[in-house]
Amino acid sequence: MPYDPDKHHRRSIRLKGYNYTQAGAYFVTLCAWQRECLFGEILGGEMQLNDYGRVLEEEWLRTAEVRPNVDLDAFVIMPNHLHGVIVICDQCRRGEPLARPYGPYRPCRPTAPAAPTGTVRIVAGSLGAIIGQIKSITTKRINALRNAPGQPVWQRNYHEHIIHSETALNNIRQYIAHNPMLWIEDEENPTRIHNTAKR
């Protein structure tokens, strides 16, 4: 099908003018296709990974092994999404506490020319390229396991938040750690219990 800008226009949800290849810490969320609970289930407030969830965990951890400029911090795999902190560093030191790769937001010029209208350009080494590779590899491996070539595993795009301070990083770490215990009220939970009690 030929490209039709009225039907196929994808608006970027990235921060305009921000260089996503520069050193920094990023809180990302990747959601499964149509919010399907594909990666396991929550039992007793703890995530129990199934085979697909273990594939995702392996590839997430491998991200830092195969990319010398990438380190990982806290993460959690939920039944239908993943929350994690990706750190892009000039020179990562494995196993050491984060060496303040984040800092106050400074507008900067994009490192690549603007993409033509209606297309999204992924810059090598950028956060988008890293996420795209994780999604691509996990899709191939999961579809091989379930004998479903070409089946979507992930929603298009992803959510990200640039981490600006150590306080913000610690808050995100706590959020990630407590996420399985809060699954019953999670907006991504298709069987979510809505808390309608008046305060």
Side-chain angles (χ1 to χ4, degrees):
M1 176 187 300
Y3 172 75
D4 179 342
D6 293 329
K7 291 182 182 175
H8 301 115
H9 180 64
R10 288 180 64 194
R11 294 176 58 200
S12 175
I13 58 173
R14 308 285 78 86
L15 185 60
K16 190 173 182 177
Y18 190 83
N19 178 357
Y20 283 93
T21 63
Q22 71 185 7
Y26 304 91
F27 175 43
V28 298
T29 301
L30 287 66
C31 295
W33 177 250
Q34 296 183 339
R35 307 300 199 266
E36 179 183 359
C37 291
L38 190 62
F39 308 121
E41 60 183 330
I42 302 288
L43 295 174
E46 292 186 8
M47 180 63 189
Q48 305 297 316
L49 298 176
N50 60 19
D51 288 343
Y52 307 148
R54 283 186 283 278
V55 164
L56 176 54
E57 182 178 53
E58 287 171 15
E59 293 302 336
W60 176 262
L61 293 173
R62 190 169 300 171
T63 299
E65 294 172 13
V66 300
R67 295 172 184 85
N69 68 322
V70 172
D71 207 350
L72 301 174
D73 200 86
F75 77 97
V76 65
I77 297 170
M78 298 293 287
N80 61 7
H81 63 282
L82 174 146
H83 292 302
V85 175
I86 291 181
V87 181
I88 297 176
C89 14
D90 296 325
Q91 190 173 16
C92 294
R93 296 182 177 93
R94 306 283 181 237
E96 293 184 14
L98 292 186
R100 300 187 58 83
Y102 41 78
Y105 170 66
R106 292 183 191 90
C108 56
R109 295 175 179 231
T111 56
T117 304
T119 64
V120 176
R121 180 175 173 168
I122 303 296
V123 177
S126 67
L127 183 64
I130 295 164
I131 297 297
Q133 290 164 352
I134 293 168
K135 284 183 171 185
S136 176
I137 293 167
T138 54
T139 296
K140 286 176 187 172
R141 288 189 60 193
I142 289 170
N143 282 344
L145 281 175
R146 62 183 180 174
N147 196 25
Q151 183 75 20
V153 170
W154 298 105
Q155 297 279 66
R156 293 175 85 177
N157 225 319
Y158 60 96
H159 301 280
E160 58 78 18
H161 173 77
I162 301 163
I163 301 172
H164 293 288
S165 68
E166 193 168 349
T167 300
L169 177 62
N170 287 330
N171 289 340
I172 288 166
R173 285 172 173 155
Q174 285 189 352
Y175 174 80
I176 288 172
H178 294 109
N179 215 241
M181 292 178 283
L182 302 173
W183 174 243
I184 198 164
E185 295 180 5
D186 195 309
E187 289 183 10
E188 303 298 337
N189 183 348
T191 61
R192 174 169 72 126
I193 297 174
H194 298 277
N195 186 355
T196 57
K198 292 183 179 178
R199 296 182 185 185

